[in-house]
């Protein structure tokens, strides 16, 4: 069984951490979690680090993804300054990450022009591609999800409809993407429930899992994090 990394997620909107549910971004509200006293992103990050000494945290700048400006610029700056040893994987749509060295850019396929030719992201060696799917299917340039030669070394398989729902990962889609990916690392996002899903993902050879709700709801504890985190 392959090793598996657990990567906690913070979704940012209006400078606050928000609760993401099924990709319905108009319904996202400030996060209420037992891990932090407020929805301040730094407080949420501190809560994650009290659970486990994570080395990587995934950030989704939803205002940038939705092309609503730089509402989260201050929060991103504070996170980079407060946690200089954390590697932040940052999806902010078409915007470049801030200059801080601990930001790694995530290129979400939903932010790429759907009617343009599939771009060759294999040259973006330091970036991560997120292959984004909703209920209607792939969101992004036609065919990109089936052309692994265009992918960078690290790929996230993001099933938006499963985010925050606790219905389990999309194992069938993950298996198909992993089969195409070759030596590339594939990370699962959406629907993780707990230890039983971690074992299933590891058995598929998935490199890691993006997790938020299972941590906030206490469905993933110290034992699982010590084994996989």
């Amino acid at each position: 069984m392959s090793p598996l990394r657990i990567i906690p997620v913070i979704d940012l909107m209006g400078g606050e951490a928000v609760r993401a549910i099924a990709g319905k971004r108009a319904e996202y509200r400030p996060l209420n979690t037992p891990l932090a006293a407020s929805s301040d992103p730094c407080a949420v990050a501190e809560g994650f680090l009290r659970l486990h000494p994570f080395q990587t945290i995934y950030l989704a700048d939803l205002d940038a993804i939705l092309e609503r400006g730089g509402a989260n610029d201050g929060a991103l700056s504070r996170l980079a300054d407060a946690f200089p040893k954390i590697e932040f994987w940052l999806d902010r749509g078409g915007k470049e990450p801030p200059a801080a060295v601990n930001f790694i850019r995530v290129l979400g396929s939903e932010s790429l022009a759907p009617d343009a030719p599939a771009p060759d992201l294999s040259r973006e060696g330091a970036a991560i591609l997120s292959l984004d799917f909703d209920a209607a299917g792939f969101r992004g340039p036609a065919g990109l999800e089936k052309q692994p030669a265009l992918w960078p070394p690290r790929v996230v398989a993001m099933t938006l409809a499963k985010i925050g729902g606790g219905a389990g990962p999309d194992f069938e889609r993950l298996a198909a993407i992993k089969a195409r990916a070759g030596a590339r690392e594939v990370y699962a996002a959406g629907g993780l429930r707990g230890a039983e899903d971690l074992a299933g993902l590891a058995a598929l050879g998935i490199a890691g899992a993006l997790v938020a709700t299972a941590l906030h709801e206490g469905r993933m504890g110290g034992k699982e994090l010590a084994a996989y985190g």
Side-chain angles (χ1 to χ4, degrees), residues 22-111:
K24 299 176 180 178
R25 291 163 179 161
E27 300 177 12
Y28 290 6
R29 297 293 180 267
L31 182 65
N32 183 2
T33 173
L35 302 182
S38 74
S39 58
D40 178 80
C42 287
V44 176
E46 289 170 357
F48 284 146
L49 295 174
R50 284 194 294 270
L51 284 178
H52 182 80
F54 295 106
Q55 297 179 342
T56 303
I57 294 176
Y58 189 103
L59 303 173
D61 181 344
L62 296 171
D63 292 293
I65 291 170
L66 296 171
E67 299 182 340
R68 298 195 303 214
N72 298 304
D73 290 353
L76 293 173
S77 178
R78 290 192 297 111
L79 284 164
D81 290 343
F83 306 99
K85 295 183 180 180
I86 295 294
E87 181 180 81
F88 290 106
W89 292 7
L90 174 61
D91 182 352
R92 62 187 329 218
K95 296 182 68 175
E96 293 285 341
V101 296
N102 52 336
F103 284 119
I104 303 296
R105 187 180 187 187
V106 177
L107 297 168
S109 65
E110 68 170 328
S111 298

Side-chain angles (χ1 to χ4, degrees), residues 13 47 135 216:
M13 188 177 284
H216 295 305

